[in-house]
Amino acid sequence: VRYQGNAYWQYCVEINDRPLVTTVMPAVVEAGKKSTVELVGVNLSAGARGEIEVSADTKAGPQWLAPKFGKDTLNPAPVVVSRTPVTAESTAAKSSPEAAQDIAVPATVAGRIAAPGEADRYAFAAKKGDMFTFEVCARRAQSNLDSILSIYNEKGARLVESDDVQIHRWQTADSILEGWVAPADGKY
């Protein structure tokens, strides 16, 4: 910083001729299972696939895990470990509430926002009084996604929305809706 020094500004330079993974897709894996993931990074061909095996006792949430690529174990990459079934984003367009992808709750959804302005929509059934918590884990998993999480009723009316949220002392671009209660039987 402005060519000034500081005893706490440390660094490490690693020089390698092997692939360097920066992220994996999907960015979530289920605890207790082996998952095939797309490897994204440097010195990797487009669409390169690897495997991440997660023991059942691995802590849920953001982790740094090393994928296997053939016989090689690559560098750790950010991955979210889930204890609920993982549902992959469908390739069908989800541009309107009517086209939302149906999911069963509880679930963890793995998707990506591939184009500017894209919105992914999912639909779930609820009974009046059912309570839910929704959490987007993107920034905490090293993604640059700045999410907005909204819940709509069957008529397309927005009921609640969450943008940036504060977790303890830190502000994050992830979104959380805690303790949301379904106001009526229906699809949301």
Side-chain angles (χ1 to χ4, degrees), residues 42-188:
V42 180
N43 292 334
L44 287 161
S45 59
R49 314 287 280 166
E51 290 184 337
I52 296 178
E53 189 164 7
V54 183
S55 67
D57 61 346
T58 301
K59 181 181 169 192
Q63 305 285 335
W64 286 82
L65 302 175
K68 293 258 188 205
F69 183 59
K71 296 178 189 173
D72 297 327
T73 300
L74 301 179
N75 62 286
V79 180
V80 177
V81 175
S82 175
R83 297 215 177 280
T84 58
V86 176
T87 299
E89 169 189 20
S90 76
T91 56
K94 298 175 289 302
S95 59
S96 68
E98 298 80 25
Q101 178 180 338
D102 287 321
I103 59 171
V105 175
T108 299
V109 179
R112 71 173 91 185
I113 302 297
E118 179 181 333
D120 287 347
R121 292 176 173 86
Y122 301 92
F124 63 97
K127 300 272 187 211
K128 181 177 182 174
D130 286 351
M131 185 181 295
F132 300 92
T133 295
F134 304 86
E135 178 180 6
V136 175
C137 186
R139 287 290 174 106
R140 290 169 288 146
Q142 308 303 308
S143 169
N144 287 329
L145 179 69
D146 184 359
S147 63
I148 296 176
L149 179 63
S150 303
I151 298 178
Y152 293 82
N153 65 15
E154 289 179 282
K155 295 176 182 163
R158 185 175 57 211
L159 304 177
V160 65
E161 183 173 275
S162 172
D163 192 0
D164 300 345
V165 70
Q166 187 164 339
I167 300 174
H168 306 295
R169 296 183 341 203
W170 295 277
Q171 184 80 15
T172 176
D174 288 342
S175 305
I176 297 175
L177 289 170
E178 292 185 282
W180 179 78
V181 177
D185 292 1
K187 200 173 196 179
Y188 295 90

